[in-house]
Amino acid sequence: MTQPPARLADKVAIVTGAGSRADGIGNGRASAILLARNGAKVALVDQNPDWVARTQAMIDAEGGTSLTVLADVTDPDDCARIVRETVRAWGRLDILVNNVGISGPPGTAVEVDLAAWDQALRVNVTSMMLMAKYAIPEMLRAGHGGAIVNLASYAGLFGGHPSLLYPTSKGAVVNMTRAMAAHHAADGIRVNAVAPGMVYTPMVYAGGMSESLREARKNRSLLKVEGSGWDVGNGVLYLVSDEARWVTGIVLPVDAGASAAPSAYPRGGKAGVPG
């Protein structure tokens, strides 16, 4: 029997923040592996050479195709170079996954450090605009439309986060996604967002997490099941695939139902910080 073509056969993708600590599965690494597993050629973007090399090794082990680009996505020249190197290697660009993000500085409006605030907004919001700025012209040049997925967060949908920066920046990603979807729909470019909930990823547990705190995070959802980077990556895979050809401008919560009944769960504190 003839095998059907892979879901993303002949597609070329860029995933920013594609590395992850050691063998951990963060949202970017999971997304990159799943895109490659489904036939896409994937440019893996990260600042950490060891982390992104490990992602590439995982893709290589499955017979996938990828290249690595060491870059800072807050730098416009680096963003242009990422796109340029991807197109030079594979001749086109179809998919952009804007995954880079940081927790940013703690504190309320009274307490937060202004310089750290400015830098975190550049990482969490401006970097996504910059990548789109250089990616969209190449999608247009290929003449087949395209798909962009921005990583938002449950924290960008509701109040109650212990810090001001993170939910502010992720809320900006939500509405930037909607605005970009309206701007580029006529060209066949779909723009959507994934909003992860309390997923257990290296970004979350790098500083250490007790089992009781991990359990509390898991229980802050309707399903009371712990999520991982793979759950987020599968949301990304759907949104960039042809199965989502009629989907643009949405924010897809991947949160075990937490956003369906937010008033049922207390917010604030470390247990309330999404992955």
Side-chain angles (χ1 to χ4, degrees), residues 54-177:
R54 183 65 187 123
T55 302
Q56 185 173 43
M58 291 175 170
I59 290 173
D60 288 348
E62 295 188 0
T65 302
S66 66
L67 61 81
T68 63
V69 185
L70 298 179
D72 175 2
V73 292
T74 68
D75 182 337
D77 291 339
D78 270 15
C79 292
R81 177 172 58 83
I82 292 164
V83 173
R84 191 165 59 245
E85 291 187 15
T86 302
V87 174
R88 181 185 300 130
W90 296 314
R92 60 186 287 169
L93 178 61
D94 305 282
I95 295 165
L96 169 64
V97 180
N98 277 319
N99 169 70
V100 167
I102 58 175
S103 297
T108 65
V110 175
E111 302 158 344
V112 70
D113 179 81
L114 181 57
W117 170 276
D118 288 344
Q119 177 59 23
L121 284 178
R122 190 166 183 89
V123 173
N124 286 6
V125 183
T126 305
S127 70
M128 297 190 183
M129 177 276 293
L130 288 172
M131 285 303 305
K133 182 180 187 68
Y134 296 104
I136 288 171
E138 289 299 335
M139 292 177 179
L140 295 176
R141 191 167 291 117
H144 303 289
I148 298 173
V149 176
N150 300 320
L151 267 290
S153 172
Y154 172 95
L157 304 176
F158 303 99
H161 195 280
S163 297
L164 184 62
L165 181 282
Y166 190 74
T168 299
S169 65
K170 291 304 183 179
V173 170
V174 166
N175 279 312
M176 179 173 65
T177 296

Side-chain angles (χ1 to χ4, degrees), residues 104-254:
T108 65
V110 175
E111 302 158 344
V112 70
D113 179 81
L114 181 57
W117 170 276
D118 288 344
Q119 177 59 23
L121 284 178
R122 190 166 183 89
V123 173
N124 286 6
V125 183
T126 305
S127 70
M128 297 190 183
M129 177 276 293
L130 288 172
M131 285 303 305
K133 182 180 187 68
Y134 296 104
I136 288 171
E138 289 299 335
M139 292 177 179
L140 295 176
R141 191 167 291 117
H144 303 289
I148 298 173
V149 176
N150 300 320
L151 267 290
S153 172
Y154 172 95
L157 304 176
F158 303 99
H161 195 280
S163 297
L164 184 62
L165 181 282
Y166 190 74
T168 299
S169 65
K170 291 304 183 179
V173 170
V174 166
N175 279 312
M176 179 173 65
T177 296
R178 292 169 176 152
M180 290 174 63
H183 292 162
H184 304 292
D187 295 312
I189 295 173
R190 299 182 298 103
V191 187
N192 294 291
V194 170
M198 303 294 154
V199 292
Y200 190 65
T201 65
M203 178 179 171
V204 170
Y205 61 70
M209 180 176 288
S210 68
E211 284 303 311
S212 61
L213 179 57
R214 187 173 176 182
E215 186 72 11
R217 284 170 54 88
K218 181 181 74 173
N219 287 330
R220 285 200 57 233
S221 70
L222 297 180
L223 295 179
K224 301 191 186 314
V225 174
E226 185 173 76
S228 73
W230 295 117
D231 297 299
V232 176
N234 276 306
V236 171
L237 174 62
Y238 164 67
L239 289 173
V240 303
S241 72
D242 287 344
E243 285 86 344
R245 69 179 188 87
W246 213 49
V247 178
T248 195
I250 73 157
V251 179
L252 175 65
V254 179

